[in-house]
Amino acid sequence: MSKRLYPRILLAAALLATSAHAASPFLKPGDEVVDHVRTRFYDAKRGEAWATKHQGYGAAATSADDFAWRTQAALSELNASHTAFYPRGTTGHADLSAIFQRHLKLPKVEVPSIGADIQETPQGFFARHVFAHGPAAKAGLLRGDRLLSVEGKSFTSVASLTQRVNKPTRFTIERTLGAEPTVLTITPRLVNPKAEWLDAQHASTRVIDHQGRRVAYQQLYSCAGPEHQQKLQDALSDDFAQADAVVIDFRDGWGGCNPTFLNLFDRAVPRFVGIGRDGRRNPWSATWRKPVVLLVNGNSRSGKEIVAFTMKRLGLATLVGQHTAGAVLAGTPLRLSTGDLLYLAVEAVEVEGVLLEGVGVPVDVEVPDTLPYASGKDPQLDKALDVAATAAPSP
């Protein structure tokens, strides 16, 4: 080969590689991720080092799924909570869009739902929370049921059910390992996730007669937004007024509790007694003073952990379940040009001088979870009710 021709071949190859690199449809969103981490990540030094290492990473992606995988794998190197990639069409993207709808300036957020939180495990997809009065609950889906298929096709996610909205749909489930599968007919619906969580919170509100005591219960799947706190406050002063103790379910879902959540249990607020002309005394308290049990697990995160840590520290609640996530950074959603969302930790958070990130909150009463094939049973909730009933004052 001519000595003059060889450098030209190398130059042509380099130009071709540069052209292919620039033509990649994933180069731009990848660079957007890198730029956000460099300029917004809460730890500037780590953010800069990460950005330098991953500059241009998107060009190597061969598909949207591959780009999502590469992005999430790279972000995991930051070892920070509130830092993840949520492509359009995923449950996480829909949830964040609903929580931050105003911040993201979205006119409407609606996604398919069957009224259940589904967890993917190495064993398959299992119903983790079946929201009271939702389509799945009405069809008979139970906590711990494994979802095998939808209309004969393998189940992948609820987000993929767009074409089945408002149509009775056959879900094949396995309730007991190795047993004959069962078919349930569930009709998916379009919902705003935040609105569904609020409805589920309201529908979960109940007072349970347990061990001779009246124990109140409410599930807060999400605590993001003042509406959730207000709904609990309404229940504490109304539905739960005659209860002896309360169990608040903080398991799974999203955090977001505002520190003012603690005001609902502030014992420094004076009690009042109204005295009628007949001499009858009517005691009333603006805050809850009876026993509180917080039900938490390894997915209780963020603002829920701040509440759990503080209430435990002040002796306002007993924690039952499992050690919390240790995910206590402040995060913000950043929309890419593709419409995908980058959730990024932008600030560290101290609680009374303590950093809970990577540490979490230990429980007072440890109860392991047994989700797969639970047949509707919930030993963590059962134990929380036991603890609440025992803590309740004698009649």
Side-chain angles (χ1 to χ4, degrees):
M1 181 181 293
S2 167
K3 291 183 178 180
R4 293 181 179 178
L5 184 59
Y6 185 69
R8 293 177 183 176
I9 293 175
L10 290 178
L11 177 60
L15 289 172
L16 183 62
T18 301
S19 176
H21 186 276
S24 169
F26 304 106
L27 176 61
K28 181 180 178 181
D31 285 349
E32 290 171 354
V33 171
V34 168
D35 185 58
H36 284 315
V37 173
R38 174 178 280 119
T39 60
R40 301 288 302 274
F41 188 63
Y42 82 100
D43 186 325
K45 185 176 180 179
R46 286 169 55 202
E48 178 61 38
W50 184 95
T52 300
K53 175 182 177 180
H54 293 286
Q55 186 69 50
Y57 82 93
T62 57
S63 66
D65 287 344
D66 185 43
F67 176 71
W69 180 86
R70 289 173 182 271
T71 302
Q72 191 56 48
L75 290 172
S76 68
E77 296 175 14
L78 290 168
N79 193 31
S81 69
H82 296 75
T83 300
F85 179 68
Y86 295 104
R88 288 176 301 165
T90 62
T91 300
H93 186 283
D95 289 356
L96 277 181
S97 296
I99 292 171
F100 293 98
Q101 184 174 350
R102 181 177 298 179
H103 171 77
L104 293 169
K105 299 179 181 178
L106 300 173
K108 182 170 68 172
V109 178
E110 285 189 335
V111 292
S113 173
I114 60 171
D117 165 49
I118 309 300
Q119 181 184 30
E120 183 178 6
T121 76
Q123 296 170 271
F125 293 90
F126 291 87
R128 181 165 56 182
H129 296 279
V130 181
F131 299 140
H133 304 334
K138 292 177 181 177
L141 187 70
L142 298 179
R143 179 182 185 276
D145 285 351
R146 182 184 177 191
L147 281 68
L148 300 175
S149 65
V150 180
E151 291 291 320
K153 297 181 180 179
S154 295
F155 179 87
T156 55
S157 73
V158 173
S160 67
L161 299 176
T162 302
Q163 301 303 316
R164 300 302 308 178
V165 170
N166 296 327
K167 297 178 182 178
T169 301
R170 292 172 299 151
F171 285 73
T172 302
I173 63 111
E174 184 182 42
R175 182 153 292 166
T176 304
L177 180 62
E180 187 71 21
T182 301
V183 176
L184 301 178
T185 300
I186 306 174
T187 302
R189 59 186 180 181
L190 278 181
V191 300
N192 177 293
K194 184 176 177 64
E196 180 173 64
W197 303 330
L198 280 166
D199 288 344
Q201 181 179 342
H202 178 72
S204 73
T205 301
R206 61 188 186 273
V207 177
I208 304 164
D209 289 324
H210 189 79
Q211 296 183 358
R213 316 302 294 137
R214 291 173 56 79
V215 181
Y217 170 84
Q218 192 175 90
Q219 177 192 36
L220 275 78
Y221 183 80
S222 173
C223 201
E227 306 94 330
H228 296 280
Q229 180 175 321
Q230 185 61 54
K231 196 167 287 293
L232 176 60
Q233 181 176 353
D234 293 343
L236 291 172
S237 60
D238 187 6
D239 304 83
F240 300 163
Q242 302 306 314
D244 302 306
V246 64
V247 173
I248 302 171
D249 194 342
F250 269 178
R251 291 176 297 175
D252 307 310
W254 297 86
C257 298
N258 190 292
T260 60
F261 189 97
L262 297 163
N263 292 341
L264 302 179
F265 309 96
D266 187 354
R267 293 175 181 171
V269 176
R271 301 186 192 194
F272 301 90
V273 176
I275 305 173
R277 60 183 294 165
D278 58 357
R280 182 176 299 175
R281 300 174 64 87
N282 298 304
W284 177 77
S285 175
T287 61
W288 181 268
R289 296 171 179 270
K290 302 170 189 176
V292 178
V293 171
L294 290 182
L295 185 51
V296 298
N297 66 7
N299 293 311
S300 302
R301 54 198 301 109
S302 192
K304 289 179 178 178
E305 293 186 90
I306 293 173
V307 169
F309 170 82
T310 307
M311 292 189 70
K312 178 178 181 177
R313 177 175 170 273
L314 296 177
L316 297 176
T318 301
L319 273 55
V320 174
Q322 294 168 300
H323 198 290
T324 65
V328 191
L329 296 174
T332 192
L334 301 163
R335 186 163 49 196
L336 306 184
S337 57
T338 57
D340 301 325
L341 289 177
L342 169 65
Y343 198 30
L344 189 66
V346 294
E347 194 173 48
V349 178
E350 282 188 359
V351 186
E352 294 293 330
V354 177
L355 287 169
L356 295 175
E357 174 72 10
V359 177
V361 186
V363 294
D364 299 299
V365 182
E366 180 83 22
V367 185
D369 191 16
T370 54
L371 177 63
Y373 308 107
S375 297
K377 296 178 182 178
D378 191 344
Q380 291 181 333
L381 175 56
D382 292 341
K383 187 62 177 180
L385 294 173
D386 289 345
V387 172
T390 301
S394 300

